[in-house]
Amino acid sequence: MERVALIPARGGSRRIPRKNIRSFLGTPILSRIIATLEASGTVDRIVVSTDDAEIAEIARRSGADVPFLRPAGLADDYTGARPVIQHGLNALELADDDVAVVMYPTAVMTTPEDLRSAASMLLGEESCEFVLSVAEFPAPVQRALHLSATGGVSPREPQNLLRRSQDLRTAYFDIGQFYWGRVGAWRSATPVVQARCRAYVVDQWRAVDIDTPEDWTRAETAYRVLHA
């Protein structure tokens, strides 16, 4: 069984230009992800899927393989992650019983131990197809509010407004940092959360999704705390 890491890293990020290779505390953020994967000792090969020559060069210098360039049709603003992942796994000619972890270039709050523990969850249970990183919502989702166009407030679940927090079921969200999966499951069309999957729970404060410059600053602050 081969174990491969696939990092999707296209060049055309909009909200933070060149996000996938931007300097994160002095080092290209992609290089930090590659280093984390190497330190985990969980994979035989680290592959970067990109359409961008500069990203490919940084990936190679950081120790990853770039055996193919992603087609332009899979690198636009509208293509979902699954076709990109399937293209990469098929280009690598992996067998269905191989294992692949998909990790995003901005998942800097992931540690080598996270990757090792999540891999053990997948490999320790034959019926499991995926393990994904999640975190607990910071407040009960049953008390979420909707706002109207004029700023009016309406409860999402009125029946739960007067219930105690401890009586409400804890809810989690997909933090999009990494996904371990069997290659055969990646090749299917079934969404990860609707497949036979398990959750690897990450502390709330490490669930940093970098989409804006403000997110970037928050992530650098949290990273300093994690590695203090």
Side-chain angles (χ1 to χ4, degrees):
M1 180 180 64
E2 187 172 3
R3 302 181 191 182
V4 172
L6 183 68
I7 306 174
R10 72 186 183 98
S13 53
R14 302 290 183 186
R15 285 173 289 189
I16 304 178
R18 311 301 290 164
K19 176 174 77 171
N20 291 329
I21 52 173
R22 179 174 170 171
S23 176
F24 186 90
L25 297 175
T27 300
I29 196 165
L30 174 62
S31 300
R32 290 192 179 276
I33 298 307
I34 293 169
T36 297
L37 283 160
E38 288 179 336
S40 75
T42 56
V43 294
D44 306 306
R45 188 180 184 189
I46 302 170
V47 174
V48 173
S49 169
T50 187
D51 60 316
D52 186 277
E54 184 183 12
I55 292 177
E57 177 58 26
I58 290 175
R60 292 187 183 102
R61 289 205 309 261
S62 302
D65 295 334
V66 189
F68 56 83
L69 284 180
R70 193 193 309 176
L74 291 176
D76 58 27
D77 293 336
Y78 304 102
T79 302
R82 199 59 165 264
V84 172
I85 295 166
Q86 292 173 343
H87 169 266
L89 300 180
N90 290 337
L92 296 173
E93 299 182 345
L94 295 175
D96 281 352
D97 58 356
D98 289 335
V99 169
V101 58
V102 174
M103 188 170 177
Y104 289 97
T106 55
V108 287
M109 300 306 293
T110 296
T111 68
E113 179 54 34
D114 291 331
L115 293 170
R116 286 191 287 266
S117 297
S120 296
M121 291 172 65
L122 178 73
L123 299 174
E125 187 176 319
E126 284 189 16
S127 63
C128 181
E129 294 177 312
F130 293 103
V131 173
L132 73 157
S133 52
V134 305
E136 182 181 338
F137 276 103
V141 295
Q142 297 89 341
R143 291 183 180 169
L145 304 175
H146 292 297
L147 302 184
S148 70
T150 59
V153 174
S154 61
R156 180 174 179 266
E157 299 179 19
Q159 70 275 19
N160 287 315
L161 285 178
L162 299 181
R163 295 185 65 190
R164 299 184 308 166
S165 297
Q166 57 265 43
D167 295 331
L168 298 172
R169 185 176 181 183
T170 301
Y172 298 82
F173 62 100
D174 175 4
I175 62 175
Q177 292 188 359
F178 64 85
Y179 306 81
W180 278 99
R182 301 184 189 277
V183 171
W186 279 123
R187 287 188 170 124
S188 77
T190 305
V192 171
V193 296
Q194 292 181 317
R196 296 190 302 273
C197 69
R198 297 182 64 191
Y200 177 80
V201 181
V202 174
D203 296 328
Q204 286 180 10
W205 70 274
R206 289 202 288 129
V208 182
D209 188 17
I210 304 178
D211 284 322
T212 67
E214 293 75 20
D215 293 336
W216 194 280
T217 300
R218 176 170 165 248
E220 288 186 325
T221 302
Y223 188 90
R224 289 190 185 98
V225 173
L226 181 64
H227 294 276

